[in-house]
Amino acid sequence: MILFCPDLVGKEEVKAACVGNGDFVKPVLNPCIKEKCVAYKDGYCKKYHNKVEDKP
């Protein structure tokens, strides 16, 4: 079962609090948009061939 859509993954840059090293990029996982998605039908993702979990 999938909860997060691989097509909706983004990234967020986090800057260090102090000058120097420490900046990093973290992934942002977005939940499946279900009925708004073309690949979604009756709890199943046709693109990734998986059931979509109901709980966020």
Side-chain angles (χ1 to χ4, degrees):
M1 284 200 206
I2 60 173
L3 179 61
F4 298 104
C5 182
D7 293 338
L8 299 175
V9 174
K11 65 179 183 175
E12 179 182 338
E13 278 190 47
V14 179
K15 295 289 183 181
C18 299
V19 176
N21 295 337
D23 295 351
F24 64 95
V25 177
K26 70 177 186 176
V28 177
L29 304 173
N30 294 308
C32 176
I33 56 175
K34 298 183 182 176
E35 286 82 15
K36 297 177 186 174
C37 182
V38 176
Y40 180 84
K41 176 135 185 177
D42 297 328
Y44 187 77
C45 180
K46 294 179 185 177
K47 182 174 183 179
Y48 293 106
H49 307 290
N50 283 319
K51 291 183 181 178
V52 177
E53 191 172 319
D54 292 334
K55 299 176 188 175

